[in-house]
Every structure is written in C-alpha cells, then in structure tokens.
Amino acid sequence: MGLSAVAPLWGPPGLLLAIALHPALSVPPRRDYCVLGAGPAGLQMAYFLQRAGRDYEVFERSPRPGSFFTRYPRHRKLISINKRYTGKANAEFNLRHDWNSLLSHDPRLLFRHYSRAYFPDARDMVRYLGDFADTLGLRIQYNTTIAHVTLDKDRRAWNGHYFILTDQKGQVHQCSVLLVATGLSVPNQVDFPGSENVEGYESVSIDPEDFIGQNVLILGRGNSAFETAENILGVTNFIHMLSRSRVRLSWATHYVGDLRAINNGLLDTYQLKSLDGLLESDLRDLAILKDSKGKFHVTLKFFLEEASTNQSADAITLPQDDNDNFAMRVPYDRVIRCLGWNFDFSIFNKSLRLNSGNAFGKKYPLIRASYESKGSRGLFILGTASHSVDYRKSAGGFIHGFRYTVRAVHRLLEHRHHSVAWPATELPITQLTSSILRRVNEASGLYQMFGVLADVILLKENAMAFEYLEEFPIQMLAQLETLTGRKARHGLFVINMEYGRNFSGPDKDVFFDDRSVGHTEDAWQSNFLHPVIYYYRYLPTEQEVRFRPAHWPLPRPTAIHHIVEDFLTDWTAPIGHILPLRRFLENCLDTDLRSFYAESCFLFALTRQKLPPFCQQGYLRMQGLMSTESLWQHRVETRLLRDDAPAGRDLADSSQQPGDQELLGASLAPGPLAQSLDSNKEEL
C-alpha cells in the first residue's frame, strides 16, 4: 500500500512536488569563481585561486588546455621569445626575457625546459600548458562549451547577482565571480563588395606548393599577414599587401604586437624593388571583382555603384581604365584576409553590457583599468581580451604581460571577497633606496607591464618606515585604499618604467645619432626604458587621475625623478644611478638616508638635534649593523665576536650589553675594511 501511494508522486505532478520539497534539486552547482577558458590566462588565474584555497572551476570547450595554439599561429612559429640564457641566476630577472612561462612555485614549469628555440614551435606551447594544468592539479572541466551567460539578481550574492552559465548540454552552472579568459577568437572581417571571394587566414592553405607562380594580394599588415607572406615569399610571382595604415615596426613603436623582425622579409623585397610591395587604402572603399578567367581585380566601390546591375564583372570600370599606371592593375590569383581577431560577444546576454558599440568595442570588451567589466560588477576579463587597457602601449595582450595583470586581478579579488590585504612588505625607511633599486633591477612585472603596473611605496607616520606594494594598476591609483586595504595617509612614491615620450611611434627614427642619454643631469630626456619615481604628498583623486596631463601615465606629482637610462638595463652605478636617487628621496622626505657606524652616530648625537633614521633605528636602540657572512667572518678572525654565535644576526642584539654594542659598532672604524665600508656608505 505504501508503494502504491508513493509511486504516483514520481509522475509529472509528483516530480514537481519533489522539487518543491527539495529546493536543492533545482539549484544548479554554485561556485565562488568560474573561469571561462583554459588558455594561458585561464590557467594562470586557476593557479592563483588554487594556491589561495578558493572554490573555483575552469570550463574549457576542448579536450585539453591551450586549444588556440593547436591551430594558431598557422605556420606554427611563435613570436614570443624564449631566452634561455641571460648570464644571471636571479629567477625574477630571467622572467624579463622569458615571454612564454606562466607564474608558479614549481621551477620545472618554466618554458625553457620545453624548447631550445628562441622562437618556439606552437606545439611546444600546447605541451607546456597541458603539463602546467596536470602537474598543478588544476580543476578544469574539459569538453564543456559555455553557450550562454546571463545574470540572476540576488541580494545574497557577493556582487548583488549570480552569473548563470549554460553549457552545450543544457547544464546550468552558477558563480559569484566570472573570469573570462577566452581570448580573441572571431576573425575580423571587413564587409565590401567581393569580400566573399577572399580566403581567411584561419582557413587558407599553408602549403607553399599551392602558391607556385601566383599573384597574391594580402589584406592586412600585422604579424599574421607578414607571417603568411613569409611562408610563400619564395614561390609566388609577387605579393602585394594592402592596409589602411602604414606598417608599424615593433622596434620603432616599442610595442610587441606590431610587426616583428622575424616576419618582415617582405619589407626587404619591397624596398629593394624585387616585385613585392605595400600599399595603403581603406578596404571599405574598394571592391574585388572576379573575371571570367577566375582572376581577381581591385576596383573602387564607387565604380561598382555607378555600374548598372546587368553588367558583367568584365564590363565594370577599373581604375586602370582612367589611370593606366594604377598600382594594382595586374589581376590576382589569390586574395587572403589577415585582419586579426575580435572577442566573441555572442554567448553573453545583453544585460551584461560588455559591448560598447563603437569600432574598438567590437574588438575588445568594455572594461575598467582594474580589468572589471564596466557593465557588470564581478565580471573580469583576463588575458588577450583585456588588452584594451594598454592596447599598443604595453604587453598586456601577451603571456609575458598578462601573467602579471592576472595576478593583480587575483589580489584585488582576495581583498574584496576574502579581506586579504594586497601583499606588502614593511621596512624601515633606511632601506628605501635599496628596495627601489632591487625592484627596478630585477622585477619582471614592472619591466614588462611598463606604464600599466607600478610599484607603490606607502610612507608610515613621520616617514620612519614604509610599506612596499608591487605591481598595482596605476590607473586605479585614486582607489588604492579601497582596492588594497592599505592606507596612504602620509605620502607615497610610485615607481614606474617608461620610454621617452617622443621616442616611440611608427614614424620615428629610433636609430638616430645621440639617441642614448648618459649624463645624470639629462636623465629626464632618457629615451629607452628606464625607471621614473613619482612622489605625492597625498593620494591623487579620481579627478586628478582622469584629467592628468596628456601622455602622462599619472597626475602631476609633487616631485619626479628619472633614473638615467642604462645600456645594460643595470641601474646599480654608485654615482650615475644610486646617488641621484638617494638624494631625490632625501629631498622628498627631508631626511638623511645614509647608513652610519656607531662612531658617526655618537658624534651626531652630540652635535645634532635630529639624528638620521639609521642612527635612530640602530644606534639609539643599541642595535648594530646587519651582518653579512664576510663581516661576520672578519669579526670572528679579529676576535671581536665568538665564532659560536649564529651567522645572520645583528652585530649587537638584545642579549649583549650596551657597552659591548657601542664598542662593536665603533671598533670597525679604524680597520681597512671598516674604512672602505664607511666611505661607501657615508659618501654615497
């Protein structure tokens, strides 16, 4: 009887009743974080989320990570450099010249172990990304295509709504924060008469044999266009390249997304008049006609509009009919489109407001400098698709750049949703100069994301200490306190890497005489990448950031200092680099940042009302100089200290008597080693 009474409940009415009685059955799986795409940016974010112990899931449409690289670039050679040798053992410094590795704690997961080629094969990248995901045990749902994304408003959600993701099987997923790392995947196309006759970069043959003895027209002037030309340069009759703008060489613009030297063989054959050539015209003003022999002719759309509809392609007016030396009067056998890529907006509901509607907004989603969508709180764009923040300015569209912007986004999320303040190191003010020098000489994120991510130094009360924050998005500087959980109440320094303001551009001659600045008094005129330090007494306001001077990355500061450019990018010269920096910092803080021995501090105590911070933090607290192994050994050999004391301690710690501490601090002064150290520290 019990079975007969219960069984009908599982018919259609019974199923509804069961769902009503058990709401959990109708609620889709809910995650704190959903990551769309298991390419480099998605894997990088997954790594940071996993290390922080967060609840996340990555959704990938393919059966393995890095599906983009299984097909692109079409000719398989990456243009991201793999510099395996730098002469340095510093891992952070070496990342400056490793453009393929993702950030992790595992030294085995460096790309240098996957390829010896300076410009690696794309298949090595696929293998690397697969190992990165597997070795770190990242949580990825493969073969899962997210077909639609929308919002479900809920006051209980972190951002006032949940993101609802529906996959190709109709399964629904919920998440509080959506991190989109799908890259740019939709070929950019220009609609003009005859565009249906054009082959796309994504599908054209890559076998040079298919182009033997042909006349080829390539639409576009980026790396994909030149990559395509380089592949067939030796077998074609000629190659013409057509674009609306002049060629942009990466060595002139200092933008890695512009034309790289590895692909620019056609520039040689053009300038040396070996049949190939470059032309400029807006594609929207042109038309491509196919004649009865299957050849393609370029004409003006104006001529096509004037022609009657019953005219054949062979009868339509061509430019050479009026101008017999028209540059493109010879017909083409193939026309290839290489116009780059756009973001795929199709899966996102309009309520997310990702698309601005303008031309640039069709390529990239609409986001803030914090990489969060302007239209939907809690939706962040990562990787190549986030490049609108620094398009043609920095490296945010490439692995060696966005591995750091992804980390910045993770730090913002950690503070917003988990009350974890932005990582910072608090140090005494006496270590300010050395801290800046260490970062500008080693840091990779600061170096690669120049003008976008900067280090921020927050001064403590009375400028006796500081907090050092690394790689903060400088366009969000006005919101630093809100975004990081750190306070900027006593002034701050911002350390940024910059090129000279008039040195970069497609029309610049970057090889002119006297292009390099060598004198410290001319440091502000440095052309090549160099550190610039901004000092602010108060945190700039949003209005000041927004209306900053043209071409300035930051608002006008209280004081500014350029460290003169260096041919070796090694800013450690005592006179040329360190001394001007220290004096700038001292002027800003109205203090003395030099290091002294106890004898000097003793004299200062007798003759000055205010002692240098080094003496206040060391001598007056009865603490000596920080030890190094060589100094420790010297003290043991001269019987100043016993050799049973642990190396690495201060010269005088709390277990020693005050008299001993002063003696130890002063006793080094007469010796040769002490005199040498004292000269370096006090004169600089």
Side-chain angles (χ1 to χ4, degrees), residues 425-465:
T425 302
E426 184 168 341
L427 295 168
I429 201 67
T430 52
Q431 296 187 36
L432 179 60
T433 307
S434 59
S435 296
I436 294 174
L437 289 170
R438 180 183 64 83
R439 287 288 295 169
V440 300
N441 281 292
E442 296 178 2
S444 177
L446 194 65
Y447 189 84
Q448 295 295 1
M449 288 306 297
F450 57 89
V452 179
L453 300 181
D455 288 359
V456 180
I457 295 172
L458 304 178
L459 298 171
K460 309 296 280 187
E461 189 173 6
N462 297 323
M464 293 300 292

Side-chain angles (χ1 to χ4, degrees), residues 392-627:
R392 286 187 170 164
K393 297 177 182 177
S394 196
F398 311 90
I399 292 176
H400 62 291
F402 66 61
R403 61 191 177 193
Y404 301 106
T405 61
V406 169
R407 181 164 65 183
V409 169
H410 176 255
R411 288 170 172 172
L412 295 175
L413 292 171
E414 283 291 291
H415 175 60
R416 177 186 290 184
H417 298 303
H418 309 288
S419 300
V420 178
W422 191 283
T425 302
E426 184 168 341
L427 295 168
I429 201 67
T430 52
Q431 296 187 36
L432 179 60
T433 307
S434 59
S435 296
I436 294 174
L437 289 170
R438 180 183 64 83
R439 287 288 295 169
V440 300
N441 281 292
E442 296 178 2
S444 177
L446 194 65
Y447 189 84
Q448 295 295 1
M449 288 306 297
F450 57 89
V452 179
L453 300 181
D455 288 359
V456 180
I457 295 172
L458 304 178
L459 298 171
K460 309 296 280 187
E461 189 173 6
N462 297 323
M464 293 300 292
F466 63 91
E467 288 183 324
Y468 202 111
L469 284 66
E470 299 177 0
E471 296 159 19
F472 181 79
I474 57 174
Q475 296 309 310
M476 303 301 294
L477 186 62
Q479 302 176 38
L480 180 139
E481 293 186 335
T482 303
L483 296 175
T484 66
R486 305 288 177 179
K487 299 299 180 184
R489 296 176 178 172
H490 307 287
L492 65 152
F493 292 97
V494 179
I495 294 88
N496 189 32
M497 301 293 287
E498 300 177 15
Y499 279 97
R501 293 206 176 98
N502 296 312
F503 189 53
S504 303
D507 58 342
K508 300 295 183 181
D509 174 14
V510 294
F511 298 105
F512 66 90
D513 291 339
D514 300 323
R515 60 187 173 272
S516 179
V517 173
H519 300 291
T520 55
E521 60 268 25
D522 299 323
W524 64 279
Q525 294 180 311
S526 294
N527 286 316
F528 287 93
L529 194 66
H530 63 284
V532 183
I533 294 89
Y534 296 75
Y535 171 62
Y536 297 93
R537 290 195 178 94
Y538 307 99
L539 189 67
T541 65
E542 289 192 37
Q543 186 174 14
E544 288 172 334
V545 172
R546 182 178 179 184
F547 297 105
R548 63 188 181 276
H551 308 298
W552 280 57
L554 288 166
R556 193 176 298 277
T558 305
I560 188 170
H561 176 70
H562 291 252
I563 301 180
V564 68
E565 63 182 272
D566 187 78
F567 183 71
L568 302 176
T569 61
D570 178 14
W571 292 281
T572 58
I575 303 301
H577 301 136
I578 300 175
L579 180 60
L581 171 63
R582 198 205 74 216
R583 287 179 172 171
F584 166 76
L585 299 174
E586 289 175 337
N587 288 334
C588 292
L589 302 177
D590 190 24
T591 190
D592 190 331
L593 295 178
R594 291 177 293 175
S595 299
F596 300 94
Y597 289 100
E599 182 179 15
S600 298
C601 290
F602 176 72
L603 293 174
F604 290 154
L606 296 176
T607 59
R608 296 187 182 183
Q609 292 184 347
K610 180 181 178 181
L611 269 66
F614 187 88
C615 295
Q616 294 183 46
Q617 296 171 357
Y619 179 75
L620 291 186
R621 296 181 182 179
M622 297 185 293
Q623 294 177 354
L625 290 171
M626 294 297 294
S627 174

Side-chain angles (χ1 to χ4, degrees), residues 92-107:
E92 178 69 11
F93 174 86
N94 288 339
L95 279 173
R96 287 183 170 187
H97 310 287
D98 173 356
W99 291 10
N100 300 285
S101 294
L102 297 178
L103 305 179
S104 80
H105 63 283
D106 192 338

